[in-house]
Amino acid sequence: MSVQPARRVAYETLRAVTDSDAYANLLLPSAIVRAGLKTADAALATELTYGTLRRRGYYDAVIALAARRPVTAIDPPVLEALRLTVHQLLSTRIASHAAVHEGVELVRAHAGRGATGFANGVLRSIAREDPGTWRTRVLATAKNDIDRLALAHAHPPWIVRAFRRALIAEGRGDELEALLAADNVSPAVTMAALPGLAEPPAGSVHTPYSPIGFRSAGGDPEPIVTASGGILRVQDEGSQLAALALSRVEAAHSGERWLDLCAGPGGKTAVLAAEALAVGATLDANEISPARAGLVRRAVAGVPLDVEVSEADGRERGAAAAGTYDRVLVDAPCTGLGALRRRPEARWRKQPADVVPLTDLQTELFDAGVAALRPGGVMAYVTCSPHLAETAAIVSEGLRRAGGSVEAIDTRAVLAQVVREPLDLGDPRDSSLHAQLWPHRHGTDAMFIQLVRRVAD
């Protein structure tokens, strides 16, 4: 098959994401290694994979117009090759003849000779018109403003609506297009130097907000992580701030007990472990998934602190430890809509129906985290999602159920004391006490953070 190795790796990864619900960020690196791709080809495979995933909805609209049939009527192996090729035709500088030729060859290899004529016709039809013309044609099919934004920025309409509601709640509804555009930009690699254990390497640049965050001088960060034994690690700046908000909400004391209730994969756990070590606190972690619990153990391996990692249901773990902990992190399972830059396939995989069962779980974990607090203890409720049903609604209902035994802490004020530079967290006249980070405004994942305190008896 006369297909460049980078395109072949990208195609196989895209097929696995679609057919097997694989995660590109987990699958692609190993696929690149197996294929023996050098730096330039590895970069191309990465761009082709993530670029195609990010704009899949838009490319499907182009393909449907060119093929004169819905994409659901196109065989999956053919459709994936078309998507990959359309990305090259409309969003890269790759020569159109090369892209079309190799796209047809992918179809020949994976769907048979009979499908090549169809694929060739569709791709040549797309290649004959420039990207601006296709954008005009696609947006002309929109039924309303939400539809237009969804097509233009390749997000499902329900996610566009959820983002709009969250921004309007901050008085920032006019930032919607900026947020959608930010989701389609590959994020810079951000790293953390675990406090008290490591310093950023020479030549690196501090991140604007997290006091432990930095960006490396360039290249693959894995050698830096490996050489450090894990005390230098890749971690989104928003994730760092979520952990630091809890550890630095007030002065910690020797002998305090901390708990990370939903710890996998362990990035926040590692930060908390370093912070606990520095003040003489202890840290327990819990993760229901054995595989993810293993990731937590590896994440904290570089911290000279004995972190016990249990594998219980977080709801049961919190209830069993009633009144035990001084600080609890509830990094609740969520839709992950705040990390669409890094996990672009999630936008096409998640559905509105996923929200209700997740909010039910988040509600129960919120209550379990509160139950685990001793009087005066502090909990951080965190989600990597700006969806109001997963964020402000969970907190407000949790406080209502607590009936005065739990109070919200001004999380914005806490973060103001943590960050290097001021954080723009919305209209200062807004009385909300939570912090919502945004990709377009802060360059972080859309992390929601609310600190609450169990009122002393």
mmCIF file with all atom_site columns, all heavy atoms in Angstrom, residues 195 209-213 237 239-250 268 271-272 275 327 414-415 418 451:
data_model
loop_
_atom_site.group_PDB
_atom_site.id
_atom_site.type_symbol
_atom_site.label_atom_id
_atom_site.label_alt_id
_atom_site.label_comp_id
_atom_site.label_asym_id
_atom_site.label_entity_id
_atom_site.label_seq_id
_atom_site.pdbx_PDB_ins_code
_atom_site.Cartn_x
_atom_site.Cartn_y
_atom_site.Cartn_z
_atom_site.occupancy
_atom_site.B_iso_or_equiv
_atom_site.pdbx_formal_charge
_atom_site.auth_seq_id
_atom_site.auth_comp_id
_atom_site.auth_asym_id
_atom_site.auth_atom_id
_atom_site.pdbx_PDB_model_num
ATOM 1   N N   . PRO A 1 195 ? 6.165   20.824 44.486 1.00 0.00 ? 195 PRO A N   1
ATOM 2   C CA  . PRO A 1 195 ? 6.700   21.798 45.437 1.00 0.00 ? 195 PRO A CA  1
ATOM 3   C C   . PRO A 1 195 ? 7.542   21.129 46.526 1.00 0.00 ? 195 PRO A C   1
ATOM 4   O O   . PRO A 1 195 ? 7.178   20.108 47.089 1.00 0.00 ? 195 PRO A O   1
ATOM 5   C CB  . PRO A 1 195 ? 5.447   22.442 46.029 1.00 0.00 ? 195 PRO A CB  1
ATOM 6   C CG  . PRO A 1 195 ? 4.336   21.476 45.752 1.00 0.00 ? 195 PRO A CG  1
ATOM 7   C CD  . PRO A 1 195 ? 4.696   20.801 44.468 1.00 0.00 ? 195 PRO A CD  1
ATOM 8   N N   . TYR A 1 209 ? 0.044   31.496 36.013 1.00 0.00 ? 209 TYR A N   1
ATOM 9   C CA  . TYR A 1 209 ? -0.788  31.416 37.211 1.00 0.00 ? 209 TYR A CA  1
ATOM 10  C C   . TYR A 1 209 ? -0.235  30.463 38.275 1.00 0.00 ? 209 TYR A C   1
ATOM 11  O O   . TYR A 1 209 ? -0.032  30.869 39.415 1.00 0.00 ? 209 TYR A O   1
ATOM 12  C CB  . TYR A 1 209 ? -2.218  31.015 36.831 1.00 0.00 ? 209 TYR A CB  1
ATOM 13  C CG  . TYR A 1 209 ? -2.819  31.919 35.792 1.00 0.00 ? 209 TYR A CG  1
ATOM 14  C CD1 . TYR A 1 209 ? -3.169  31.433 34.532 1.00 0.00 ? 209 TYR A CD1 1
ATOM 15  C CD2 . TYR A 1 209 ? -3.022  33.270 36.051 1.00 0.00 ? 209 TYR A CD2 1
ATOM 16  C CE1 . TYR A 1 209 ? -3.715  32.262 33.573 1.00 0.00 ? 209 TYR A CE1 1
ATOM 17  C CE2 . TYR A 1 209 ? -3.564  34.114 35.086 1.00 0.00 ? 209 TYR A CE2 1
ATOM 18  C CZ  . TYR A 1 209 ? -3.915  33.605 33.847 1.00 0.00 ? 209 TYR A CZ  1
ATOM 19  O OH  . TYR A 1 209 ? -4.430  34.438 32.903 1.00 0.00 ? 209 TYR A OH  1
ATOM 20  N N   . SER A 1 210 ? -0.019  29.217 37.924 1.00 0.00 ? 210 SER A N   1
ATOM 21  C CA  . SER A 1 210 ? 0.397   28.252 38.943 1.00 0.00 ? 210 SER A CA  1
ATOM 22  C C   . SER A 1 210 ? 1.822   28.522 39.405 1.00 0.00 ? 210 SER A C   1
ATOM 23  O O   . SER A 1 210 ? 2.737   28.619 38.577 1.00 0.00 ? 210 SER A O   1
ATOM 24  C CB  . SER A 1 210 ? 0.306   26.822 38.405 1.00 0.00 ? 210 SER A CB  1
ATOM 25  O OG  . SER A 1 210 ? 0.908   25.920 39.315 1.00 0.00 ? 210 SER A OG  1
ATOM 26  N N   . PRO A 1 211 ? 2.059   28.589 40.713 1.00 0.00 ? 211 PRO A N   1
ATOM 27  C CA  . PRO A 1 211 ? 3.417   28.829 41.201 1.00 0.00 ? 211 PRO A CA  1
ATOM 28  C C   . PRO A 1 211 ? 4.346   27.643 41.021 1.00 0.00 ? 211 PRO A C   1
ATOM 29  O O   . PRO A 1 211 ? 5.556   27.784 41.191 1.00 0.00 ? 211 PRO A O   1
ATOM 30  C CB  . PRO A 1 211 ? 3.199   29.128 42.690 1.00 0.00 ? 211 PRO A CB  1
ATOM 31  C CG  . PRO A 1 211 ? 1.920   28.442 43.035 1.00 0.00 ? 211 PRO A CG  1
ATOM 32  C CD  . PRO A 1 211 ? 1.065   28.552 41.814 1.00 0.00 ? 211 PRO A CD  1
ATOM 33  N N   . ILE A 1 212 ? 3.798   26.487 40.640 1.00 0.00 ? 212 ILE A N   1
ATOM 34  C CA  . ILE A 1 212 ? 4.650   25.310 40.399 1.00 0.00 ? 212 ILE A CA  1
ATOM 35  C C   . ILE A 1 212 ? 4.678   24.923 38.927 1.00 0.00 ? 212 ILE A C   1
ATOM 36  O O   . ILE A 1 212 ? 5.273   23.922 38.558 1.00 0.00 ? 212 ILE A O   1
ATOM 37  C CB  . ILE A 1 212 ? 4.195   24.107 41.253 1.00 0.00 ? 212 ILE A CB  1
ATOM 38  C CG1 . ILE A 1 212 ? 2.800   23.633 40.823 1.00 0.00 ? 212 ILE A CG1 1
ATOM 39  C CG2 . ILE A 1 212 ? 4.221   24.453 42.737 1.00 0.00 ? 212 ILE A CG2 1
ATOM 40  C CD1 . ILE A 1 212 ? 2.376   22.314 41.464 1.00 0.00 ? 212 ILE A CD1 1
ATOM 41  N N   . GLY A 1 213 ? 4.054   25.719 38.077 1.00 0.00 ? 213 GLY A N   1
ATOM 42  C CA  . GLY A 1 213 ? 3.934   25.370 36.670 1.00 0.00 ? 213 GLY A CA  1
ATOM 43  C C   . GLY A 1 213 ? 5.019   25.988 35.818 1.00 0.00 ? 213 GLY A C   1
ATOM 44  O O   . GLY A 1 213 ? 5.538   27.061 36.098 1.00 0.00 ? 213 GLY A O   1
ATOM 45  N N   . GLU A 1 237 ? -2.233  23.425 33.831 1.00 0.00 ? 237 GLU A N   1
ATOM 46  C CA  . GLU A 1 237 ? -2.137  24.436 34.881 1.00 0.00 ? 237 GLU A CA  1
ATOM 47  C C   . GLU A 1 237 ? -3.406  24.507 35.721 1.00 0.00 ? 237 GLU A C   1
ATOM 48  O O   . GLU A 1 237 ? -3.354  24.739 36.937 1.00 0.00 ? 237 GLU A O   1
ATOM 49  C CB  . GLU A 1 237 ? -1.828  25.799 34.256 1.00 0.00 ? 237 GLU A CB  1
ATOM 50  C CG  . GLU A 1 237 ? -1.394  26.842 35.257 1.00 0.00 ? 237 GLU A CG  1
ATOM 51  C CD  . GLU A 1 237 ? -0.992  28.156 34.615 1.00 0.00 ? 237 GLU A CD  1
ATOM 52  O OE1 . GLU A 1 237 ? -1.253  28.345 33.406 1.00 0.00 ? 237 GLU A OE1 1
ATOM 53  O OE2 . GLU A 1 237 ? -0.425  28.993 35.325 1.00 0.00 ? 237 GLU A OE2 1
ATOM 54  N N   . SER A 1 239 ? -5.327  22.005 36.515 1.00 0.00 ? 239 SER A N   1
ATOM 55  C CA  . SER A 1 239 ? -5.265  20.873 37.437 1.00 0.00 ? 239 SER A CA  1
ATOM 56  C C   . SER A 1 239 ? -4.356  21.197 38.622 1.00 0.00 ? 239 SER A C   1
ATOM 57  O O   . SER A 1 239 ? -4.658  20.870 39.776 1.00 0.00 ? 239 SER A O   1
ATOM 58  C CB  . SER A 1 239 ? -4.762  19.634 36.696 1.00 0.00 ? 239 SER A CB  1
ATOM 59  O OG  . SER A 1 239 ? -4.632  18.528 37.558 1.00 0.00 ? 239 SER A OG  1
ATOM 60  N N   . GLN A 1 240 ? -3.238  21.847 38.354 1.00 0.00 ? 240 GLN A N   1
ATOM 61  C CA  . GLN A 1 240 ? -2.336  22.254 39.430 1.00 0.00 ? 240 GLN A CA  1
ATOM 62  C C   . GLN A 1 240 ? -3.050  23.196 40.396 1.00 0.00 ? 240 GLN A C   1
ATOM 63  O O   . GLN A 1 240 ? -2.962  23.041 41.619 1.00 0.00 ? 240 GLN A O   1
ATOM 64  C CB  . GLN A 1 240 ? -1.109  22.958 38.844 1.00 0.00 ? 240 GLN A CB  1
ATOM 65  C CG  . GLN A 1 240 ? -0.249  22.091 37.935 1.00 0.00 ? 240 GLN A CG  1
ATOM 66  C CD  . GLN A 1 240 ? 0.835   22.897 37.245 1.00 0.00 ? 240 GLN A CD  1
ATOM 67  O OE1 . GLN A 1 240 ? 1.408   23.813 37.825 1.00 0.00 ? 240 GLN A OE1 1
ATOM 68  N NE2 . GLN A 1 240 ? 1.125   22.571 35.994 1.00 0.00 ? 240 GLN A NE2 1
ATOM 69  N N   . LEU A 1 241 ? -3.766  24.174 39.857 1.00 0.00 ? 241 LEU A N   1
ATOM 70  C CA  . LEU A 1 241 ? -4.443  25.157 40.709 1.00 0.00 ? 241 LEU A CA  1
ATOM 71  C C   . LEU A 1 241 ? -5.537  24.514 41.543 1.00 0.00 ? 241 LEU A C   1
ATOM 72  O O   . LEU A 1 241 ? -5.773  24.925 42.696 1.00 0.00 ? 241 LEU A O   1
ATOM 73  C CB  . LEU A 1 241 ? -5.018  26.283 39.851 1.00 0.00 ? 241 LEU A CB  1
ATOM 74  C CG  . LEU A 1 241 ? -3.992  27.205 39.199 1.00 0.00 ? 241 LEU A CG  1
ATOM 75  C CD1 . LEU A 1 241 ? -4.686  28.215 38.287 1.00 0.00 ? 241 LEU A CD1 1
ATOM 76  C CD2 . LEU A 1 241 ? -3.154  27.935 40.251 1.00 0.00 ? 241 LEU A CD2 1
ATOM 77  N N   . ALA A 1 242 ? -6.216  23.503 41.007 1.00 0.00 ? 242 ALA A N   1
ATOM 78  C CA  . ALA A 1 242 ? -7.266  22.824 41.766 1.00 0.00 ? 242 ALA A CA  1
ATOM 79  C C   . ALA A 1 242 ? -6.684  22.169 43.021 1.00 0.00 ? 242 ALA A C   1
ATOM 80  O O   . ALA A 1 242 ? -7.270  22.250 44.108 1.00 0.00 ? 242 ALA A O   1
ATOM 81  C CB  . ALA A 1 242 ? -7.960  21.787 40.892 1.00 0.00 ? 242 ALA A CB  1
ATOM 82  N N   . ALA A 1 243 ? -5.531  21.509 42.871 1.00 0.00 ? 243 ALA A N   1
ATOM 83  C CA  . ALA A 1 243 ? -4.892  20.870 44.028 1.00 0.00 ? 243 ALA A CA  1
ATOM 84  C C   . ALA A 1 243 ? -4.360  21.909 45.008 1.00 0.00 ? 243 ALA A C   1
ATOM 85  O O   . ALA A 1 243 ? -4.517  21.782 46.235 1.00 0.00 ? 243 ALA A O   1
ATOM 86  C CB  . ALA A 1 243 ? -3.780  19.949 43.558 1.00 0.00 ? 243 ALA A CB  1
ATOM 87  N N   . LEU A 1 244 ? -3.748  22.963 44.492 1.00 0.00 ? 244 LEU A N   1
ATOM 88  C CA  . LEU A 1 244 ? -3.157  23.985 45.355 1.00 0.00 ? 244 LEU A CA  1
ATOM 89  C C   . LEU A 1 244 ? -4.220  24.788 46.093 1.00 0.00 ? 244 LEU A C   1
ATOM 90  O O   . LEU A 1 244 ? -3.976  25.278 47.210 1.00 0.00 ? 244 LEU A O   1
ATOM 91  C CB  . LEU A 1 244 ? -2.270  24.913 44.531 1.00 0.00 ? 244 LEU A CB  1
ATOM 92  C CG  . LEU A 1 244 ? -1.007  24.278 43.937 1.00 0.00 ? 244 LEU A CG  1
ATOM 93  C CD1 . LEU A 1 244 ? -0.305  25.260 43.006 1.00 0.00 ? 244 LEU A CD1 1
ATOM 94  C CD2 . LEU A 1 244 ? -0.061  23.807 45.035 1.00 0.00 ? 244 LEU A CD2 1
ATOM 95  N N   . ALA A 1 245 ? -5.401  24.939 45.499 1.00 0.00 ? 245 ALA A N   1
ATOM 96  C CA  . ALA A 1 245 ? -6.477  25.644 46.189 1.00 0.00 ? 245 ALA A CA  1
ATOM 97  C C   . ALA A 1 245 ? -6.827  24.936 47.494 1.00 0.00 ? 245 ALA A C   1
ATOM 98  O O   . ALA A 1 245 ? -7.096  25.582 48.515 1.00 0.00 ? 245 ALA A O   1
ATOM 99  C CB  . ALA A 1 245 ? -7.705  25.757 45.296 1.00 0.00 ? 245 ALA A CB  1
ATOM 100 N N   . LEU A 1 246 ? -6.828  23.611 47.458 1.00 0.00 ? 246 LEU A N   1
ATOM 101 C CA  . LEU A 1 246 ? -7.134  22.852 48.669 1.00 0.00 ? 246 LEU A CA  1
ATOM 102 C C   . LEU A 1 246 ? -5.970  22.871 49.657 1.00 0.00 ? 246 LEU A C   1
ATOM 103 O O   . LEU A 1 246 ? -6.158  23.109 50.854 1.00 0.00 ? 246 LEU A O   1
ATOM 104 C CB  . LEU A 1 246 ? -7.487  21.407 48.310 1.00 0.00 ? 246 LEU A CB  1
ATOM 105 C CG  . LEU A 1 246 ? -7.783  20.483 49.493 1.00 0.00 ? 246 LEU A CG  1
ATOM 106 C CD1 . LEU A 1 246 ? -9.005  20.977 50.277 1.00 0.00 ? 246 LEU A CD1 1
ATOM 107 C CD2 . LEU A 1 246 ? -7.995  19.048 49.018 1.00 0.00 ? 246 LEU A CD2 1
ATOM 108 N N   . SER A 1 247 ? -4.763  22.637 49.167 1.00 0.00 ? 247 SER A N   1
ATOM 109 C CA  . SER A 1 247 ? -3.624  22.534 50.084 1.00 0.00 ? 247 SER A CA  1
ATOM 110 C C   . SER A 1 247 ? -3.250  23.878 50.700 1.00 0.00 ? 247 SER A C   1
ATOM 111 O O   . SER A 1 247 ? -2.674  23.928 51.788 1.00 0.00 ? 247 SER A O   1
ATOM 112 C CB  . SER A 1 247 ? -2.412  21.934 49.367 1.00 0.00 ? 247 SER A CB  1
ATOM 113 O OG  . SER A 1 247 ? -1.947  22.785 48.340 1.00 0.00 ? 247 SER A OG  1
ATOM 114 N N   . ARG A 1 248 ? -3.602  24.991 50.017 1.00 0.00 ? 248 ARG A N   1
ATOM 115 C CA  . ARG A 1 248 ? -3.196  26.310 50.485 1.00 0.00 ? 248 ARG A CA  1
ATOM 116 C C   . ARG A 1 248 ? -4.374  27.198 50.867 1.00 0.00 ? 248 ARG A C   1
ATOM 117 O O   . ARG A 1 248 ? -4.222  28.411 51.001 1.00 0.00 ? 248 ARG A O   1
ATOM 118 C CB  . ARG A 1 248 ? -2.325  26.990 49.419 1.00 0.00 ? 248 ARG A CB  1
ATOM 119 C CG  . ARG A 1 248 ? -1.088  26.155 49.086 1.00 0.00 ? 248 ARG A CG  1
ATOM 120 C CD  . ARG A 1 248 ? -0.117  26.861 48.164 1.00 0.00 ? 248 ARG A CD  1
ATOM 121 N NE  . ARG A 1 248 ? 1.021   25.980 47.850 1.00 0.00 ? 248 ARG A NE  1
ATOM 122 C CZ  . ARG A 1 248 ? 2.079   26.339 47.134 1.00 0.00 ? 248 ARG A CZ  1
ATOM 123 N NH1 . ARG A 1 248 ? 2.149   27.576 46.646 1.00 0.00 ? 248 ARG A NH1 1
ATOM 124 N NH2 . ARG A 1 248 ? 3.060   25.477 46.901 1.00 0.00 ? 248 ARG A NH2 1
ATOM 125 N N   . VAL A 1 249 ? -5.545  26.607 51.055 1.00 0.00 ? 249 VAL A N   1
ATOM 126 C CA  . VAL A 1 249 ? -6.718  27.389 51.446 1.00 0.00 ? 249 VAL A CA  1
ATOM 127 C C   . VAL A 1 249 ? -6.473  28.090 52.771 1.00 0.00 ? 249 VAL A C   1
ATOM 128 O O   . VAL A 1 249 ? -6.984  29.196 53.020 1.00 0.00 ? 249 VAL A O   1
ATOM 129 C CB  . VAL A 1 249 ? -7.978  26.492 51.515 1.00 0.00 ? 249 VAL A CB  1
ATOM 130 C CG1 . VAL A 1 249 ? -7.800  25.338 52.503 1.00 0.00 ? 249 VAL A CG1 1
ATOM 131 C CG2 . VAL A 1 249 ? -9.214  27.299 51.870 1.00 0.00 ? 249 VAL A CG2 1
ATOM 132 N N   . GLU A 1 250 ? -5.685  27.490 53.623 1.00 0.00 ? 250 GLU A N   1
ATOM 133 C CA  . GLU A 1 250 ? -5.265  28.056 54.891 1.00 0.00 ? 250 GLU A CA  1
ATOM 134 C C   . GLU A 1 250 ? -4.019  27.311 55.326 1.00 0.00 ? 250 GLU A C   1
ATOM 135 O O   . GLU A 1 250 ? -3.697  26.252 54.781 1.00 0.00 ? 250 GLU A O   1
ATOM 136 C CB  . GLU A 1 250 ? -6.368  27.928 55.948 1.00 0.00 ? 250 GLU A CB  1
ATOM 137 C CG  . GLU A 1 250 ? -6.788  26.493 56.201 1.00 0.00 ? 250 GLU A CG  1
ATOM 138 C CD  . GLU A 1 250 ? -8.088  26.394 56.982 1.00 0.00 ? 250 GLU A CD  1
ATOM 139 O OE1 . GLU A 1 250 ? -8.794  27.410 57.087 1.00 0.00 ? 250 GLU A OE1 1
ATOM 140 O OE2 . GLU A 1 250 ? -8.394  25.294 57.457 1.00 0.00 ? 250 GLU A OE2 1
ATOM 141 N N   . LYS A 1 268 ? -3.240  15.323 40.434 1.00 0.00 ? 268 LYS A N   1
ATOM 142 C CA  . LYS A 1 268 ? -3.521  16.165 41.595 1.00 0.00 ? 268 LYS A CA  1
ATOM 143 C C   . LYS A 1 268 ? -3.032  15.485 42.865 1.00 0.00 ? 268 LYS A C   1
ATOM 144 O O   . LYS A 1 268 ? -2.590  16.158 43.811 1.00 0.00 ? 268 LYS A O   1
ATOM 145 C CB  . LYS A 1 268 ? -5.015  16.471 41.672 1.00 0.00 ? 268 LYS A CB  1
ATOM 146 C CG  . LYS A 1 268 ? -5.563  17.246 40.481 1.00 0.00 ? 268 LYS A CG  1
ATOM 147 C CD  . LYS A 1 268 ? -7.049  17.489 40.629 1.00 0.00 ? 268 LYS A CD  1
ATOM 148 C CE  . LYS A 1 268 ? -7.637  18.146 39.384 1.00 0.00 ? 268 LYS A CE  1
ATOM 149 N NZ  . LYS A 1 268 ? -7.684  17.217 38.230 1.00 0.00 ? 268 LYS A NZ  1
ATOM 150 N N   . VAL A 1 271 ? 0.600   16.345 43.500 1.00 0.00 ? 271 VAL A N   1
ATOM 151 C CA  . VAL A 1 271 ? 0.781   17.692 44.042 1.00 0.00 ? 271 VAL A CA  1
ATOM 152 C C   . VAL A 1 271 ? 0.408   17.716 45.520 1.00 0.00 ? 271 VAL A C   1
ATOM 153 O O   . VAL A 1 271 ? 1.133   18.275 46.358 1.00 0.00 ? 271 VAL A O   1
ATOM 154 C CB  . VAL A 1 271 ? -0.057  18.721 43.252 1.00 0.00 ? 271 VAL A CB  1
ATOM 155 C CG1 . VAL A 1 271 ? 0.023   20.099 43.901 1.00 0.00 ? 271 VAL A CG1 1
ATOM 156 C CG2 . VAL A 1 271 ? 0.415   18.793 41.802 1.00 0.00 ? 271 VAL A CG2 1
ATOM 157 N N   . LEU A 1 272 ? -0.722  17.101 45.866 1.00 0.00 ? 272 LEU A N   1
ATOM 158 C CA  . LEU A 1 272 ? -1.138  17.059 47.265 1.00 0.00 ? 272 LEU A CA  1
ATOM 159 C C   . LEU A 1 272 ? -0.119  16.307 48.121 1.00 0.00 ? 272 LEU A C   1
ATOM 160 O O   . LEU A 1 272 ? 0.150   16.699 49.266 1.00 0.00 ? 272 LEU A O   1
ATOM 161 C CB  . LEU A 1 272 ? -2.508  16.401 47.390 1.00 0.00 ? 272 LEU A CB  1
ATOM 162 C CG  . LEU A 1 272 ? -3.709  17.199 46.872 1.00 0.00 ? 272 LEU A CG  1
ATOM 163 C CD1 . LEU A 1 272 ? -4.979  16.382 46.997 1.00 0.00 ? 272 LEU A CD1 1
ATOM 164 C CD2 . LEU A 1 272 ? -3.856  18.519 47.602 1.00 0.00 ? 272 LEU A CD2 1
ATOM 165 N N   . GLU A 1 275 ? 2.759   18.598 48.838 1.00 0.00 ? 275 GLU A N   1
ATOM 166 C CA  . GLU A 1 275 ? 2.328   19.623 49.784 1.00 0.00 ? 275 GLU A CA  1
ATOM 167 C C   . GLU A 1 275 ? 2.159   19.033 51.188 1.00 0.00 ? 275 GLU A C   1
ATOM 168 O O   . GLU A 1 275 ? 2.526   19.658 52.185 1.00 0.00 ? 275 GLU A O   1
ATOM 169 C CB  . GLU A 1 275 ? 1.007   20.235 49.308 1.00 0.00 ? 275 GLU A CB  1
ATOM 170 C CG  . GLU A 1 275 ? 1.123   21.055 48.033 1.00 0.00 ? 275 GLU A CG  1
ATOM 171 C CD  . GLU A 1 275 ? 1.519   22.489 48.309 1.00 0.00 ? 275 GLU A CD  1
ATOM 172 O OE1 . GLU A 1 275 ? 0.648   23.317 48.621 1.00 0.00 ? 275 GLU A OE1 1
ATOM 173 O OE2 . GLU A 1 275 ? 2.732   22.774 48.228 1.00 0.00 ? 275 GLU A OE2 1
ATOM 174 N N   . ARG A 1 327 ? -8.810  17.651 55.121 1.00 0.00 ? 327 ARG A N   1
ATOM 175 C CA  . ARG A 1 327 ? -8.965  18.165 53.746 1.00 0.00 ? 327 ARG A CA  1
ATOM 176 C C   . ARG A 1 327 ? -9.307  16.991 52.837 1.00 0.00 ? 327 ARG A C   1
ATOM 177 O O   . ARG A 1 327 ? -8.684  15.928 52.927 1.00 0.00 ? 327 ARG A O   1
ATOM 178 C CB  . ARG A 1 327 ? -7.693  18.869 53.262 1.00 0.00 ? 327 ARG A CB  1
ATOM 179 C CG  . ARG A 1 327 ? -7.265  19.986 54.208 1.00 0.00 ? 327 ARG A CG  1
ATOM 180 C CD  . ARG A 1 327 ? -6.100  20.801 53.709 1.00 0.00 ? 327 ARG A CD  1
ATOM 181 N NE  . ARG A 1 327 ? -5.576  21.606 54.826 1.00 0.00 ? 327 ARG A NE  1
ATOM 182 C CZ  . ARG A 1 327 ? -5.071  22.807 54.733 1.00 0.00 ? 327 ARG A CZ  1
ATOM 183 N NH1 . ARG A 1 327 ? -4.973  23.390 53.550 1.00 0.00 ? 327 ARG A NH1 1
ATOM 184 N NH2 . ARG A 1 327 ? -4.637  23.452 55.801 1.00 0.00 ? 327 ARG A NH2 1
ATOM 185 N N   . VAL A 1 414 ? -9.257  32.690 47.528 1.00 0.00 ? 414 VAL A N   1
ATOM 186 C CA  . VAL A 1 414 ? -8.177  31.747 47.847 1.00 0.00 ? 414 VAL A CA  1
ATOM 187 C C   . VAL A 1 414 ? -7.185  31.683 46.700 1.00 0.00 ? 414 VAL A C   1
ATOM 188 O O   . VAL A 1 414 ? -5.962  31.779 46.894 1.00 0.00 ? 414 VAL A O   1
ATOM 189 C CB  . VAL A 1 414 ? -8.746  30.345 48.154 1.00 0.00 ? 414 VAL A CB  1
ATOM 190 C CG1 . VAL A 1 414 ? -7.615  29.321 48.274 1.00 0.00 ? 414 VAL A CG1 1
ATOM 191 C CG2 . VAL A 1 414 ? -9.574  30.374 49.436 1.00 0.00 ? 414 VAL A CG2 1
ATOM 192 N N   . LEU A 1 415 ? -7.699  31.526 45.479 1.00 0.00 ? 415 LEU A N   1
ATOM 193 C CA  . LEU A 1 415 ? -6.808  31.433 44.323 1.00 0.00 ? 415 LEU A CA  1
ATOM 194 C C   . LEU A 1 415 ? -6.030  32.727 44.116 1.00 0.00 ? 415 LEU A C   1
ATOM 195 O O   . LEU A 1 415 ? -4.883  32.696 43.654 1.00 0.00 ? 415 LEU A O   1
ATOM 196 C CB  . LEU A 1 415 ? -7.603  31.081 43.067 1.00 0.00 ? 415 LEU A CB  1
ATOM 197 C CG  . LEU A 1 415 ? -8.016  29.615 42.928 1.00 0.00 ? 415 LEU A CG  1
ATOM 198 C CD1 . LEU A 1 415 ? -8.872  29.419 41.688 1.00 0.00 ? 415 LEU A CD1 1
ATOM 199 C CD2 . LEU A 1 415 ? -6.794  28.700 42.869 1.00 0.00 ? 415 LEU A CD2 1
ATOM 200 N N   . VAL A 1 418 ? -2.897  32.391 45.716 1.00 0.00 ? 418 VAL A N   1
ATOM 201 C CA  . VAL A 1 418 ? -2.060  31.286 45.237 1.00 0.00 ? 418 VAL A CA  1
ATOM 202 C C   . VAL A 1 418 ? -1.325  31.653 43.960 1.00 0.00 ? 418 VAL A C   1
ATOM 203 O O   . VAL A 1 418 ? -0.151  31.322 43.784 1.00 0.00 ? 418 VAL A O   1
ATOM 204 C CB  . VAL A 1 418 ? -2.919  30.020 45.010 1.00 0.00 ? 418 VAL A CB  1
ATOM 205 C CG1 . VAL A 1 418 ? -2.118  28.925 44.293 1.00 0.00 ? 418 VAL A CG1 1
ATOM 206 C CG2 . VAL A 1 418 ? -3.464  29.497 46.337 1.00 0.00 ? 418 VAL A CG2 1
ATOM 207 N N   . LEU A 1 451 ? -14.439 25.398 46.943 1.00 0.00 ? 451 LEU A N   1
ATOM 208 C CA  . LEU A 1 451 ? -14.042 24.971 48.286 1.00 0.00 ? 451 LEU A CA  1
ATOM 209 C C   . LEU A 1 451 ? -15.233 25.144 49.222 1.00 0.00 ? 451 LEU A C   1
ATOM 210 O O   . LEU A 1 451 ? -15.954 26.143 49.159 1.00 0.00 ? 451 LEU A O   1
ATOM 211 C CB  . LEU A 1 451 ? -12.877 25.817 48.788 1.00 0.00 ? 451 LEU A CB  1
ATOM 212 C CG  . LEU A 1 451 ? -11.577 25.726 47.975 1.00 0.00 ? 451 LEU A CG  1
ATOM 213 C CD1 . LEU A 1 451 ? -10.628 26.845 48.381 1.00 0.00 ? 451 LEU A CD1 1
ATOM 214 C CD2 . LEU A 1 451 ? -10.913 24.366 48.170 1.00 0.00 ? 451 LEU A CD2 1
#
